[in-house]
Amino acid sequence: MNFTRWSARLPGTQRRAAARTETAVSPDRRGEGSVPAARAGQPADGAPSVPAVDELPARDVLDRVPALVALLHGPDHRIAYVNDAYAAAFGVRPLGEPARDGLPELAELGLLPLLDQVLRSGKLRTLKSRRALDGRSYTFTCTPVSETAGDGAVLVFATDVTDHAEAAERLRASERRQRETAVTLQRSLLPQELEQPDDLRIAATYQPGGTEAAVGGDWYDVITLGGGRTALVIGDVMGRGVRAAAVMGQLRTAVRAYARLDLPPHEVLQLLDGLATEIDANQIATCVYAIHDPNEGRLVYASAGHLPILVRDENGTVLRADEPTGPPLGTGGWMHASGSIALGPGSTAVLYTDGLVERRDEDLDEGIASLERALSGATGTPQVVCDRLVRSAGVTADHDDDVAVLVLQHPARTGPEGDLFRNAALELLGGVEAAPRARAFASGVLTSWRFPADLHDLGVLATSELVANSLQHGTPPMRLRLRRTDRRLIIEVTDGDDHLPRRRRAEPGDESGRGIAIVATIASNWGSRRTPGGGKAVWCEFLLPRG
């Protein structure tokens, strides 16, 4: 074998030779004063003679390199040469044997088809970091060394990358552990079981991303506020990993605390904005906080840089709640505002994070439009809708971002089920005569709803106390509303004064202060809140007997 001829075809040799050719200047083109190019191998200024690369014996070079080298000739890849490093790794190999028989380590690694490709194409091919029979990892480079593709030989050059492979595996193992930690923390901080309000059916899902860098930060929650109202929240901390999951947990806890104050959505976001800055000034989060009131048939919401809520009405038309939207939490200095979108009977609303609709090769609006199309045809229970939307978005276990989806439905109830959900309201006009009129109205409504006598009497008493409190401390307009669901009776009185009542202990000589105390004692729950545009609502609930 002429190793000198093949040595010129080792990777990089041709480029270096071309560089020398381009640099050299022919004698007939040298001008006066030009400096003659030094010839390879000639001594400079009396230095010892150094042989040029072309003059080095290729076999001596290959015998001494630490990399594994084998030369395979012909379509059967017969062994023409293996260097000392190759023999030390896999043993002495008989010359002339086909690689399939004489080099079982290459066959085991699936390298033989690659050798065929190199011969056919005349192009270099590389197989990265494969573990060989000797237990070490190598990167194999197969280089054609013939003038004509399909005929000649292939030089196999294997570099030991065991240390790199082991370091990479340790890094991957560390990333897996970090991802598992982040996923465990993330799931533990999400609701283990969603609250199920009387008037809504709700389902949610969380899908972690495929890497540690794609886990953490997405959250959702459902919070019953009392009086038939429900808060729904979804958010996304912009960081990743354990730190993002921890920040998410703090924000979710804060949302639940602020929700108990029964504040309007934009005021909740104002409080969260300040808290997010205190938790970690280097991380921001997007969030949507919405409140559903069955009496209004709408979602009132505020958004801090989050994606728009989508609502599918009973006819299959999908609406997008685009405005108003403020900057993300943690940026500070912004006054958020509340908006609303209709959510009537038969409607389905979807709250989601950007992992569901954002793709690197696609505009975000296109992703949202695709979700709208998927939602328009999605029917069934909230869990079915949730699963369909995730599948339609192509979310898989190796997705590059985590995904949270919250689906809520306002069912259109008819027949016997519809009889379990009723509303009745009375405008409280006039002065003190409004109180007996309210008691009579409540008595008639509760009788028509066929409540047992004890619940009827408690409901009338609570109505009387709430109305009396409003007449004494509130201002017009005043209104009484009674609502029943399949689980509870809700009594609510609204008026135009925004001073919220508080429960206090009345002294024996006090002529007032007992109304709220009585309501709090006889009802299963009570509360108050300010209403949009001024005024307040005071409510109480009674659980219905089962069965």
Side-chain angles (χ1 to χ4, degrees):
M1 293 293 177
N2 189 338
F3 285 97
T4 303
R5 176 166 60 88
W6 279 318
S7 70
R9 302 190 182 279
L10 290 175
T13 306
Q14 292 175 327
R15 290 195 298 272
R16 291 190 294 271
R20 288 196 303 272
T21 303
E22 293 172 0
T23 304
V25 180
S26 59
D28 59 345
R29 298 186 62 183
R30 295 175 188 156
E32 291 186 9
S34 62
V35 179
R39 289 187 180 182
Q42 284 189 336
D45 299 329
S49 177
V50 178
V53 172
D54 292 342
E55 298 173 4
L56 293 175
R59 176 154 190 160
D60 288 346
V61 174
L62 295 179
D63 280 344
R64 288 169 172 78
V65 295
L68 280 59
V69 180
L71 184 67
L72 309 175
H73 185 73
D76 293 336
H77 311 299
R78 295 184 178 275
I79 304 171
Y81 165 78
V82 293
N83 71 345
D84 294 342
Y86 197 106
F90 298 114
V92 178
R93 294 294 183 256
L95 300 182
E97 286 286 322
R100 184 175 302 277
D101 301 324
L103 302 175
E105 58 278 358
L106 299 188
E108 178 72 21
L109 291 169
L111 205 65
L112 299 185
L114 193 67
L115 297 175
D116 294 334
Q117 293 178 22
V118 172
L119 276 184
R120 287 195 303 268
S121 66
K123 296 180 179 179
L124 177 146
R125 294 287 188 272
T126 298
L127 193 65
K128 294 184 177 180
S129 190
R130 293 296 177 91
R131 186 180 293 275
L133 294 176
D134 65 346
R136 302 191 66 78
S137 296
Y138 298 91
T139 289
F140 291 87
T141 300
C142 303
T143 305
V145 288
S146 62
E147 295 292 341
T148 304
D151 182 30
V154 177
L155 186 70
V156 179
F157 192 86
T159 305
D160 190 334
V161 294
T162 304
D163 292 342
H164 296 288
E166 291 177 351
E169 180 55 36
R170 287 194 297 270
L171 179 60
R172 286 192 294 268
S174 175
E175 290 177 345
R176 285 194 297 269
R177 288 192 299 269
Q178 291 182 36
R179 180 182 182 278
E180 291 168 0
T181 301
V183 170
T184 301
L185 177 61
Q186 176 84 4
R187 291 195 183 280
S188 68
L189 294 174
L190 289 173
Q192 302 305 300
E193 184 175 351
L194 288 178
E195 297 181 28
Q196 294 294 331
D198 296 4
D199 293 273
L200 298 175
R201 293 185 297 179
I202 301 178
T205 188
Y206 171 75
Q207 176 68 52
T211 64
E212 188 272 337
V215 175
D218 288 16
W219 93 91
Y220 54 82
D221 209 349
V222 178
I223 309 162
T224 53
L225 301 176
R229 302 165 72 251
T230 306
L232 307 119
V233 60
I234 195 163
D236 184 1
V237 177
M238 293 305 175
R240 291 291 182 265
V242 173
R243 177 59 183 165
V247 172
M248 176 276 288
Q250 295 177 77
L251 289 177
R252 176 178 172 251
T253 301
V255 169
R256 294 192 72 86
Y258 296 147
R260 298 305 178 192
L261 301 176
D262 212 344
L263 300 171
H266 65 277
E267 292 189 23
V268 172
L269 291 190
Q270 291 294 143
L271 294 172
L272 282 176
D273 184 35
L275 180 65
T277 304
E278 295 178 10
I279 292 174
D280 190 337
N282 297 319
Q283 286 187 303
I284 61 175
T286 64
C287 180
V288 165
Y289 183 86
I291 295 176
H292 175 256
D293 189 334
N295 296 318
E296 302 297 332
R298 304 186 70 81
L299 273 180
V300 180
Y301 67 91
S303 175
H306 204 78
L307 299 170
I309 299 171
L310 302 182
V311 176
R312 177 186 184 273
D313 66 18
E314 58 183 344
N315 300 316
T317 302
V318 177
L319 305 176
R320 185 188 297 193
D322 278 328
E323 297 294 342
T325 300
L329 304 175
T331 55
W334 180 267
M335 295 301 293
H336 292 275
S338 293
S340 68
I341 187 170
L343 188 73
S347 298
T348 300
V350 179
L351 290 72
Y352 52 96
T353 56
D354 58 2
L356 186 67
V357 294
E358 191 172 37
R359 301 293 181 270
R360 294 179 181 177
D361 57 348
E362 187 178 84
D363 185 76
L364 181 59
D365 284 336
E366 294 179 6
I368 297 175
S370 297
L371 182 61
E372 289 178 338
R373 290 190 294 271
L375 178 59
S376 66
T379 58
T381 66
Q383 189 61 59
V384 170
V385 173
C386 208
D387 294 340
R388 287 187 61 179
L389 295 181
V390 171
R391 286 198 304 270
S392 69
V395 177
T396 60
D398 58 352
H399 198 58
D400 61 0
D401 195 4
D402 52 351
V403 174
V405 184
L406 182 66
V407 175
L408 56 139
Q409 291 179 344
H410 185 188
R413 296 182 172 91
T414 58
E417 187 182 33
D419 290 337
L420 299 177
F421 291 81
R422 297 290 189 90
N423 275 289
L426 174 69
E427 300 295 331
L428 300 174
L429 304 175
V432 293
E433 67 272 14
R437 205 164 49 242
R439 286 193 294 270
F441 175 79
S443 179
V445 169
L446 299 181
T447 300
S448 69
W449 288 349
R450 300 178 181 178
F451 285 154
D454 56 343
L455 181 57
H456 171 279
D457 294 342
L458 289 174
V460 172
L461 176 57
T463 299
S464 177
E465 296 297 338
L466 292 180
V467 169
N469 182 78
S470 183
L471 290 172
Q472 183 174 0
H473 301 288
T475 60
M478 302 178 185
R479 192 182 197 198
L480 167 67
R481 185 192 300 274
L482 289 88
R483 176 172 176 77
R484 71 155 296 169
T485 71
D486 58 344
R487 305 180 204 173
R488 71 198 75 217
L489 165 66
I490 302 167
I491 302 169
E492 182 179 83
V493 176
T494 59
D495 65 57
D497 186 86
D498 62 0
H499 290 86
L500 300 180
R502 59 186 178 87
R503 184 180 180 182
R504 63 187 179 87
R505 181 174 180 178
E507 298 299 329
D510 292 345
E511 295 183 0
S512 64
R514 291 183 173 85
I516 295 299
I518 292 173
V519 170
T521 300
I522 65 176
S524 56
N525 194 13
W526 80 279
S528 62
R529 69 179 185 281
R530 291 186 174 88
T531 54
K536 67 176 177 295
V538 185
W539 55 268
C540 67
E541 296 178 348
F542 294 89
L543 294 178
L544 301 184
R546 295 189 178 183

